[in-house]
Amino acid sequence: MHEIVRNEFRRYYSGLREEDLEVPDMPQREYAFLQFGGEVMIRHMKFVNPSSLKEYIVENTPAHIYHSSAYYQMPEATDMNEKGWLGADLVFDIDSDHIRTECKDRHDRWHCIECGMGGAGFPPESCPHCGMKKIDTRTWICEDCLQVAKNEVIKILDEYLIPDFGVAETDFEVFFSGHRGYHIHVRSKTFRGLSADGRREVADYVRGIGIDIRSHGFREVKSRILVGPDMKDGGWRGRVARALYEFVNRASLEDLKGIVAPGVAKNLFDNKEKFLKSIESDPPYWGSLKGYTLESLEKIAIASIKDLICNIDERVTIDSKRLIRCPNSLHGKSGLRTLRVDYSSIDDFDPLKEAVAFRHGSIRIYVKEAPRVRIGDEELGPIKDKTLEVPLALGLYLICRGAAEPR
Ligand SMILES: [Zn+2]
Ligand SMILES: [Zn+2]
């Protein structure tokens, strides 16, 4: 990596206040670093306070700084079995790279290393031409994909963690990762001791894995007489009930025909109002329409909960020894900060503005190729094969992304 990036990172770390590097229970965490151009993680470091961490990172200026989600008796032990695991935060990783968004057609490219075929947008799993799985990608982020990632954060917290798991506002922190998405750290003691299996249960729960509506109260009491949960019920019971209600309420005949047999769809559509009223009644009644069965209700339920399922990288949630980005550290692939987000005002949070670490100065760069990019209030591109002077944050961003070089 270019020396200028490292120098700017060092200048940034020198200017940090010690409290910016504070993490709860710091002496029980393992710290890890990736150097510029280095591929080997420097691990098993322990820091007892922010000032010793600051001293280390100013001196060594790593490209990436991580701490463990886990708490250990001896974080500095190099053998994982000797560390003495005491528990771990429950972490959710929302990465816009894993979410199919339309904007990817504008800013992402992929090509097959085997045959050279390529295209725009979300990469295929295997090459459509030669079938090989060696796909190289050039991915970028934009306001739109970061907004989608932010919506996922709000969904996980407002729909699941707060109402269903009883997580209090003081029990979690939200961070912009400094590049493609967000992290949620749940620190309450209730979750600390969860095993990997327990964490998997939580991940599956928010991802709606293995949802079976029959275990949420839907059943046939007599031929074609269906009963089910109340929309006011907690957890997935009420969630499925509300989702079904809303889905049927706004569904067109065509929507319904895409899910159930045409006759059932028509019957349901023609009797929509009556059907919705019976769900609202106390106790709710899930209908006795001709041809309408528990199976058809199940199919509509699966379709209706699609948008309620959370897009998380489940590997991160399951892992009880994960290394995660340190607050206020810089992301070596963007030059942006890992920034704590005030959840009460997350709607107004603009990551591409607030996570900017370099607010002054400019830099002359040669840009190989980049789509439209915004950092702070500055916009550039699409651009190809040009040398120009740009604000420092934007220039470092393009250099860190590998799209530009200092000139
Ligand atoms: Zn190919
Ligand atoms: Zn995008």
Side-chain angles (χ1 to χ4, degrees):
M1 181 50 73
H2 304 279
E3 198 51 30
I4 187 162
V5 177
R6 204 161 171 247
N7 288 340
E8 290 299 336
F9 271 43
R10 178 176 295 128
R11 198 163 61 87
Y12 167 80
Y13 286 126
S14 307
L16 273 189
R17 298 166 307 171
E18 282 170 10
E19 61 261 39
D20 293 333
L21 293 169
E22 232 158 65
V23 173
D25 302 298
M26 195 172 177
Q28 295 180 326
R29 309 243 189 203
E30 174 192 354
Y31 276 80
F33 306 92
L34 256 179
Q35 293 293 357
F36 282 103
E39 273 161 27
V40 181
M41 183 93 80
I42 300 165
R43 291 194 57 173
H44 313 300
M45 303 279 288
K46 171 185 173 172
F47 295 93
V48 292
N49 55 40
S51 82
S52 57
L53 173 62
K54 182 178 168 182
E55 197 177 312
Y56 179 90
I57 57 181
V58 170
E59 166 113 14
N60 295 281
T61 323
H64 303 272
I65 305 176
Y66 307 91
H67 67 66
S68 60
S69 62
Y71 307 86
Y72 300 107
Q73 265 162 351
M74 276 206 298
E76 70 278 26
T78 50
D79 183 334
M80 292 308 280
N81 297 319
E82 283 171 14
K83 281 190 191 298
W85 188 85
L86 298 168
D89 299 332
L90 181 64
V91 182
F92 296 87
D93 177 35
I94 302 98
D95 185 341
S96 62
D97 246 30
H98 296 166
I99 309 174
R100 283 175 189 269
T101 53
E102 281 171 20
C103 56
K104 287 189 166 53
D105 289 338
R106 288 200 304 270
H107 54 67
D108 286 0
R109 303 235 168 283
W110 59 269
H111 88 272
C112 169
I113 295 172
E114 207 62 39
C115 74
M117 188 194 180
F122 204 83
E125 221 164 86
S126 56
C127 173
H129 182 241
C130 74
M132 299 301 281
K133 291 194 166 169
K134 290 185 193 159
I135 307 284
D136 188 31
T137 56
R138 207 148 244 281
T139 59
W140 291 80
I141 46 111
C142 72
E143 296 91 337
D144 293 354
C145 28
L146 288 176
Q147 180 62 43
V148 171
K150 190 161 92 173
N151 293 344
E152 289 295 310
V153 171
I154 297 168
K155 181 169 43 173
I156 294 172
L157 282 160
D158 287 1
E159 284 282 337
Y160 294 89
L161 296 184
I162 295 171
D164 291 8
F165 288 89
V167 172
E169 293 251 353
T170 47
D171 289 340
F172 68 85
E173 287 187 300
V174 177
F175 292 92
F176 170 57
S177 73
H179 191 198
R180 295 191 293 233
Y182 291 84
H183 301 152
I184 303 169
H185 299 193
V186 182
R187 302 204 203 278
S188 88
K189 293 228 160 51
T190 321
F191 297 96
R192 275 199 191 182
L194 272 183
S195 64
D197 282 345
R199 287 164 202 265
R200 180 182 291 281
E201 289 284 330
V202 177
D204 285 355
Y205 186 92
V206 304
R207 293 170 70 220
I209 301 288
I211 286 283
D212 173 7
I213 67 162
R214 288 159 212 251
S215 58
H216 291 292
F218 287 97
R219 63 199 163 84
E220 198 171 27
V221 284
K222 251 195 273 170
S223 174
R224 297 196 342 242
I225 308 283
L226 304 180
V227 295
D230 194 308
M231 287 193 284
K232 294 191 287 291
D233 286 346
W236 268 105
R237 288 176 74 100
R239 186 172 294 117
V240 174
R242 291 188 297 274
L244 259 164
Y245 182 95
E246 278 159 33
F247 185 85
V248 172
N249 190 18
R250 59 169 198 263
S252 66
L253 181 56
E254 290 310 304
D255 291 339
L256 294 170
K257 276 185 179 168
I259 302 166
V260 290
V264 181
K266 172 118 180 36
N267 205 349
L268 179 56
F269 189 76
D270 290 345
N271 294 287
K272 196 186 250 195
E273 218 134 280
K274 196 176 131 211
F275 177 78
L276 295 176
K277 272 230 150 61
S278 68
I279 300 176
E280 286 170 23
S281 65
D282 183 23
Y285 177 53
W286 286 84
S288 63
L289 298 169
K290 193 167 183 311
Y292 179 79
T293 60
L294 194 54
E295 281 72 34
S296 39
L297 193 59
E298 198 160 19
K299 283 181 186 160
I300 302 169
I302 298 301
S304 65
I305 60 171
K306 247 188 206 151
D307 291 340
L308 288 168
I309 288 165
C310 298
N311 266 298
I312 57 167
D313 181 346
E314 76 276 11
R315 291 166 306 177
V316 176
T317 303
I318 294 163
D319 194 345
S320 58
K321 293 167 187 169
R322 194 77 183 183
L323 292 168
I324 37 184
R325 285 184 187 280
C326 195
N328 290 310
S329 65
L330 297 173
H331 196 302
K333 286 192 173 153
S334 70
L336 296 172
R337 280 194 293 167
T338 299
L339 192 63
R340 185 178 282 114
V341 183
D342 177 4
Y343 191 59
S344 61
S345 54
I346 191 169
D347 286 339
D348 301 324
F349 179 75
D350 176 358
L352 294 177
K353 194 165 186 170
E354 290 172 58
V356 169
F358 306 98
R359 297 193 179 269
H360 307 286
S362 63
I363 184 171
R364 195 170 170 74
I365 53 170
Y366 162 72
V367 187
K368 275 175 276 181
E369 190 175 5
R372 188 191 73 86
V373 166
R374 170 174 75 86
I375 295 295
D377 291 324
E378 302 295 331
E379 274 189 44
L380 186 71
I383 181 171
K384 198 174 177 177
D385 203 17
K386 263 205 180 84
T387 300
L388 72 170
E389 181 104 7
V390 294
L392 185 59
L394 179 58
L396 289 178
Y397 178 79
L398 291 169
I399 296 170
C400 288
R401 297 295 301 121
E405 287 169 8
R407 274 295 147 89

